Amino acid sequence: MGKKRSQAPTAGREEPIPAIPLTDANAGASGDPTIGNLVKDATAQVSTLFRGEIALAKAELTQEAKKAGAGSGLLAAAGVMLLYTSLFFFIFLGALLMIWLPAWAAFGIVFLLLLLITAVAGFFGYKLFTKLKKPEKTMDSVSSLKEVLPGQPQLDGPGAHSALPPARQR
């Protein structure tokens, strides 16, 4: 296929021989490492350590996020199955009451029971929502922005603010 190269060195050209240096490449004239080289090495090592820590954190978080996603999916499936199961429970309850009552009365009682459960859950949900508080800090922060934005009416007078110089007019 191709020509075979000869292994003999060419005249006048020597191949470099691999060797281990006998002196430290980072050492200065006195044989001690220079401050610049020490800082360079420390910076490189800290950077490598930092990148390694970030890679480790990403790997751990990715693995835990996958577990959390799988767990959430299984919990959602269990919730849906509980809903379907409750349907059969209430049919069973109606059939059980039919032993002592007519069918219309048995299923009427089950209907009223479900209506009562729904009303109680709705009442407590409404109570929880009425106890929610306004985000006071956010509202204060947003309203204070009006004071520092140029072109907005100022509280301390036209074009003046006690803590800021007046805005340039164009």
Side-chain angles (χ1 to χ4, degrees), residues 21-74:
L22 299 177
T23 59
D24 186 6
N26 291 329
S30 66
D32 294 328
T34 63
I35 291 177
N37 286 335
L38 289 174
V39 169
K40 180 179 78 171
D41 289 345
T43 304
Q45 290 171 357
V46 167
S47 176
T48 302
L49 178 65
F50 187 70
R51 277 188 256 128
E53 290 294 328
I54 288 177
L56 176 63
K58 281 178 20 179
E60 284 180 340
L61 289 176
T62 301
Q63 184 177 6
E64 293 303 313
K66 286 179 183 178
K67 288 180 188 176
S72 298
L74 289 173

Side-chain angles (χ1 to χ4, degrees), residues 111-133:
F111 171 73
L112 292 175
L113 178 66
L114 287 172
L115 199 59
L116 179 68
I117 291 171
T118 303
V120 168
F123 175 74
F124 283 117
Y126 175 75
K127 282 295 192 184
L128 283 175
F129 274 114
T130 58
K131 289 182 181 178
L132 291 177
K133 297 179 181 175

